[in-house]
Amino acid sequence: MTSKTNTTPQPLTDDAESWKRTLSILAGIRQVAKEMREEAEQIEVAHPNQMRKPGYGERVDIVSILNKTYAFMSTDIRRVARSSSLTMPEDLC
């Protein structure tokens, strides 16, 4: 909330909370990609002789998009971490 003397709004969260949220988003992208990849593998095993496996192509496409998103975001987030002296967990590097 802003006061009449200070019209600059205050951040809703502190830097540590913002960093945790950012890392949580990155971890979430990685986790969803892993789950979708596993689902695609299950579909492939369930329909070994079918050329078109129901739901397989969609999952493969989504995994590809999530992997590209993760790679793009993690590069920028690592840069922010280095320049701001923030710690990035090993499992997200």
Side-chain angles (χ1 to χ4, degrees):
M1 184 173 174
T2 59
S3 70
K4 292 180 184 193
T5 58
N6 181 6
T7 57
T8 304
Q10 297 299 312
L12 298 176
T13 59
D14 63 8
D15 290 344
E17 181 62 26
S18 295
W19 185 243
K20 281 193 242 178
R21 287 182 181 184
T22 300
L23 295 177
S24 177
I25 291 167
L26 196 60
I29 291 170
R30 178 181 259 180
Q31 180 63 34
V32 171
K34 178 181 180 251
E35 291 171 6
M36 295 292 285
R37 189 178 311 107
E38 289 170 356
E39 288 177 11
E41 289 169 1
Q42 291 171 2
I43 292 170
E44 196 169 28
V45 168
H47 305 280
N49 298 324
Q50 286 184 353
M51 204 58 166
R52 295 192 55 129
K53 298 165 179 54
Y56 178 80
E58 294 86 351
R59 283 169 179 78
V60 169
D61 289 344
I62 292 170
V63 168
S64 176
I65 291 165
L66 291 172
N67 286 339
K68 289 175 187 174
T69 302
Y70 181 86
F72 179 78
M73 285 183 64
S74 65
T75 299
D76 284 347
I77 291 171
R78 278 194 304 273
R79 182 184 46 77
V80 169
R82 280 190 306 270
S83 67
S84 303
S85 299
L86 296 167
T87 305
M88 187 131 172
E90 289 291 322
D91 61 332
L92 291 179
C93 291

